[in-house]
């Protein structure tokens, strides 16, 4: 995999996630009914950063959890899915909540579809909103993000690599 360009450095990632945090607060008229779920694994750090940003702004702690979508993916065989429909406990109720589903990159929409299905297995939320750092297009399902850090037109041959950990924040386009 060859690096083509750096799309976002640490400062750009931080700016985008702070902007998304403000948009979430504004669009939901506060954060009293919000919970946040990060799709394992790329969405978890996005979720954590957004929740921290919201706390810094509103001084209200948002319930967050990792959402494991493995059992809801459509690239698994039907037999495996039927056997493994157990829903991992996330530790709080989603019923009647405004759920912010977080991921790093939105591509075909299939991961988000699996996330929505997993959320609904936990109960009926008031709404499900999608926050992503990168939207690269090429949707195969009618899914769009409510909050986007950056739209990046790509070819199907290109790869978007998001690195977010304690020491690194970057978004890289590879070929």
């Amino acid at each position: 995999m060859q690096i083509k360009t750096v799309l976002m450095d640490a400062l750009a990632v931080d700016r985008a996630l702070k902007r998304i945090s403000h948009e979430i607060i504004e669009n939901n008229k506060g954060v009293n009914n919000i919970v946040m779920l990060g799709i394992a694994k790329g969405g978890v750090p996005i979720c954590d950063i957004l929740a921290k940003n919201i706390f810094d702004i509103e001084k209200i702690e948002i319930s967050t959890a990792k959402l494991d979508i493995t059992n809801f993916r459509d690239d698994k065989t039907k037999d495996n899915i039927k056997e493994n429909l157990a829903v991992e406990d996330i530790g709080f109720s989603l019923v009647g909540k405004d759920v912010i589903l977080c991921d790093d990159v939105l591509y075909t929409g299939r991961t988000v579809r699996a996330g929505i299905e997993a959320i609904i297995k936990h109960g009926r939320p008031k709404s499900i909103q999608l926050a992503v750092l990168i939207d690269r297009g090429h949707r195969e399902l009618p899914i769009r993000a409510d909050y986007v850090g950056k739209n990046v037109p790509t070819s199907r041959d290109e790869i978007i690599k998001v690195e977010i950990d304690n020491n690194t924040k970057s978004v890289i386009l590879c070929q």
Side-chain angles (χ1 to χ4, degrees), residues 21-30:
S21 301
H22 282 282
E23 290 173 357
I24 289 169
I25 294 165
E26 183 176 336
N27 290 345
N28 289 281
K29 297 174 178 57

Side-chain angles (χ1 to χ4, degrees), residues 76-132:
K76 294 186 78 158
T77 66
K78 288 185 180 182
D79 291 337
N80 288 343
I81 291 173
K82 286 178 185 172
E83 292 172 11
N84 297 316
L85 270 183
V87 177
E88 185 176 298
D89 183 33
I90 58 170
F92 49 86
S93 175
L94 302 182
V95 175
K97 296 291 185 179
D98 293 304
V99 176
I100 311 296
L101 182 60
C102 305
D103 206 3
D104 55 354
V105 179
L106 176 56
Y107 183 32
T108 63
R110 293 185 179 279
T111 298
V112 174
R113 186 223 39 93
I116 292 169
E117 190 175 334
I119 288 169
I120 291 169
K121 290 288 184 183
H122 281 83
R124 185 170 189 230
K126 178 181 175 190
S127 70
I128 301 173
Q129 301 165 42
L130 178 61
V132 297

Side-chain angles (χ1 to χ4, degrees), residues 30-47:
V31 296
N32 292 326
N33 199 47
I34 290 176
V35 297
M36 301 181 79
L37 301 175
I39 294 177
K41 72 181 185 181
V44 173
I46 302 296
C47 180

Side-chain angles (χ1 to χ4, degrees), residues 61-73:
E61 193 166 324
I62 304 295
S63 296
T64 64
K66 175 181 84 169
L67 184 65
D68 183 357
I69 63 160
T70 305
N71 295 331
F72 301 93
R73 295 181 53 90

